[in-house]
């Protein structure tokens, strides 16, 4: 079945970097854009950026420019999101989500989420 | 950036009630509007795309309407499994933006 499986929870110190993976299966990886969305504890959803798994092009939210990098590995159907210079405010659940162009770019499949805790 | 404003932020309702949530965009987004349901500890789930199209597998008690700047999500008869937080999201332009969420609680 179509699914996105993310890597496990991470605990990082302030100033460190974290890299979260999202492995796709059950569909043609390069045919759907992938987005990253995060959710701080008790808060709403915040869009971080998008990657085109076909060509690798990316667009990031202004808030994360310079700190976030999204890449893909077509050989393993995996996208990665790396966030650097972590601070306590980056403590959140990070989700990857597939966008389906035929449905006006709605996010139809989501990963299970990866909890990233930033604490000294 | 396009701002998405949902109302109310929370509501209390009983099983069987009709519930309506509204979402307003700060500029026209045509029908590039989706609705998601999120339960505690779970990833969001797509309910409605293109403002009014029901995602496969979603019960027909959920419906969406609107275009341009004003949108609504309606649950025709609230069921116990519908108690959750609901988000609207625009996909008209980047950055994609979400409403702040509407928490539907049991009365």
């Amino acid at each position: 079945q179509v699914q996105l499986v993310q890597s496990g929870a991470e605990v990082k110190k302030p100033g460190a970097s974290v890299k979260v993976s999202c492995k796709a299966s059950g569909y043609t990886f390069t045919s759907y854009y992938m987005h990253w969305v995060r959710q701080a504890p008790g808060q709403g959803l915040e869009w971080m950026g998008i990657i085109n798994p076909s060509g690798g092009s990316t667009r990031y939210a202004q808030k994360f420019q310079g700190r976030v990098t999204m890449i893909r590995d077509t050989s393993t159907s995996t996208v990665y999101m790396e966030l650097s210079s972590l601070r306590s405010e980056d403590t959140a659940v990070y989700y990857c989500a597939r966008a389906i162009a035929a449905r006006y770019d709605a996010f139809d499949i989501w990963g299970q989420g990866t909890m990233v805790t930033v604490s000294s | 950036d396009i701002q998405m404003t949902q109302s109310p932020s929370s509501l209390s309702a009983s099983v069987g009630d009709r519930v309506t949530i509204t979402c307003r965009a700060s500029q026209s987004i045509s029908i590039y509007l989706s609705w998601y349901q999120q339960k505690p500890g779970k990833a969001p789930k797509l309910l409605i795309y293109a403002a009014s199209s029901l995602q496969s597998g979603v019960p027909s008690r959920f419906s969406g309407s609107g275009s341009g700047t004003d949108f609504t999500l309606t649950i025709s008869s609230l069921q116990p499994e519908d108690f959750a937080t609901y988000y609207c999201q625009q996909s008209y332009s980047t950055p994609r933006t979400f409403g702040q969420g509407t928490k539907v609680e049991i009365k």
Side-chain angles (χ1 to χ4, degrees):
Chain A
Q1 74 280 23
V2 176
Q3 61 178 353
L4 301 173
V5 178
Q6 298 182 221
S7 49
E10 303 264 12
V11 179
K12 296 292 183 181
K13 293 194 182 302
S17 297
V18 68
K19 192 172 187 178
V20 180
S21 68
C22 170
K23 183 174 176 60
S25 62
Y27 71 95
T28 303
F29 175 67
T30 52
S31 294
Y32 299 84
Y33 283 56
M34 198 77 79
H35 296 251
W36 287 90
V37 175
R38 77 176 187 179
Q39 186 171 39
Q43 302 301 307
L45 301 168
E46 180 176 33
W47 183 82
M48 298 182 69
I50 178 177
I51 181 168
N52 177 355
S54 179
S57 60
T58 55
R59 287 196 70 176
Y60 305 134
Q62 180 92 8
K63 176 176 181 176
F64 302 104
Q65 287 277 2
R67 283 209 303 144
V68 70
T69 304
M70 297 177 188
I71 61 172
R72 95 295 189 209
D73 181 344
T74 56
S75 68
T76 60
S77 298
T78 302
V79 296
Y80 299 87
M81 186 283 299
E82 184 170 27
L83 189 63
S84 62
S85 302
L86 290 169
R87 35 215 190 222
S88 58
E89 311 89 87
D90 295 317
T91 294
V93 177
Y94 289 76
Y95 295 101
C96 57
R98 185 183 84 162
I100 181 163
R103 297 186 177 178
Y104 287 72
D105 281 345
F107 298 170
D108 68 329
I109 305 294
W110 293 66
Q112 83 276 19
T114 297
M115 181 71 215
V116 175
T117 302
V118 182
S119 174
S120 55
Chain B
D1 298 3
I2 298 175
Q3 308 304 315
M4 306 300 293
T5 304
Q6 280 183 240
S7 62
S9 297
S10 65
L11 64 90
S12 295
S14 302
V15 172
D17 284 354
R18 182 181 182 89
V19 169
T20 298
I21 300 168
T22 64
C23 179
R24 175 165 288 177
S26 61
Q27 66 185 75
S28 178
I29 57 171
S30 182
I31 59 169
Y32 284 81
L33 191 283
S34 303
W35 289 98
Y36 301 87
Q37 176 193 66
Q38 188 180 32
K39 296 182 179 179
K42 299 294 186 181
K45 172 188 173 184
L46 177 63
L47 299 176
I48 300 285
Y49 64 92
S52 62
S53 296
L54 195 67
Q55 171 70 349
S56 176
V58 173
S60 59
R61 62 181 179 272
F62 290 93
S63 64
S65 66
S67 67
T69 60
D70 294 310
F71 303 87
T72 61
L73 173 70
T74 300
I75 309 172
S76 61
S77 178
L78 199 64
Q79 297 302 299
E81 60 268 31
D82 300 337
F83 292 95
T85 300
Y86 295 84
Y87 294 93
C88 62
Q89 180 233 342
Q90 64 83 17
S91 54
Y92 183 81
S93 67
T94 301
R96 304 289 194 254
T97 44
F98 292 88
Q100 79 277 19
T102 295
K103 187 173 184 179
V104 177
E105 298 176 300
I106 301 173
K107 196 174 203 177

